[in-house]
Amino acid sequence: MSGNPGIRIGQGWDVHRIVSGRPLILGGVTVPSEFGLEGHSDADVLAHAITDAILGALSLGDIGMHFPDTDPRWKGADSLTFLDHVCGLAEQAGYRIVNVDSTVILERPKLKDFRLPIRESLARTMSIDVTSVSVKFKTAEKVGPVGEGKSAESQAVVLLVKSLF
Ligand code: C5P
Ligand code: MG
């Protein structure tokens, strides 16, 4: 990539419907819950937002372009494989991840007790230190589709820097 000082910022956002009879998987961690998220893959809304943030930083399109939800190969897929793949694209482009900051917006269950395992799971997948991965949780204060318990959202930003190696 030319014409940049060696740092790239990326942003990602995702939403999934809440349904019964599916697991709630966030950052590769299955959180005990009476409901889960609907999706073609494992519907890991947090992994999807971070994956899109990395693709955004690289100007390489979006998750649906790389992993179409019409492709039977990705049915029930572990979304950490998507995240792992885009980290490989960053490496190929000569970048390393400096840090990730993210937010999951979900009315319930309470997620704060799962913060560390989720951060560790994401950090392991991205091959970066856990201190470089921030995961925040918010309710939507009972307002809108998230607040009414119909969906879960996630947002993420990522900073990449040109690798010296
Ligand atoms: O949305 P609100 O500001 O009320 O959230 C307060 C705190 O509750 C958050 O900072 C977060 O630590 C926690 N939280 C949580 N699980 C959620 C939503 C919020 O643990 N699903
Ligand atoms: Mg998604």
Side-chain angles (χ1 to χ4, degrees), residues 6 8 14 23 31 48 59 63 69 81-83 105 124 134-135:
R8 309 274 307 184
D14 197 21
V31 175
H48 292 179
S59 302
I63 191 169
D69 65 6
T81 63
F82 304 160
L83 182 58
I105 310 125
R124 202 163 42 241
S134 156
V135 179

Side-chain angles (χ1 to χ4, degrees), residues 12 46-47 49 51 57 78 91 96-97 102 106 110 112 129 163:
L46 175 57
T51 298
D78 174 354
E91 197 180 340
R96 70 175 178 83
I97 297 165
S102 64
L106 181 62
K110 277 285 172 209
K112 58 182 166 41
D129 198 84
S163 177

Side-chain angles (χ1 to χ4, degrees), residues 145-163:
V146 177
E148 290 165 9
K150 293 179 182 158
S151 57
E153 288 186 17
S154 206
Q155 301 176 355
V157 287
V158 62
L159 187 70
L160 306 186
V161 66
K162 200 86 191 169
S163 177

Side-chain angles (χ1 to χ4, degrees), residues 13-16 38-39 41 43-46 48-49 63 79:
W13 173 86
D14 197 21
V15 62
H16 281 260
E38 189 176 65
S41 67
D44 186 335
V45 68
L46 175 57
H48 292 179
I63 191 169
S79 297

Side-chain angles (χ1 to χ4, degrees), residues 111-127:
L111 298 167
K112 58 182 166 41
D113 292 345
F114 298 91
R115 193 187 320 268
L116 186 57
I118 291 172
R119 291 174 64 210
E120 285 172 341
S121 166
L122 291 166
R124 202 163 42 241
T125 304
M126 292 187 279
S127 303

Side-chain angles (χ1 to χ4, degrees), residues 30-42:
T30 302
V31 175
S33 170
E34 299 147 31
F35 53 79
L37 300 178
E38 189 176 65
H40 183 67
S41 67
D42 66 359

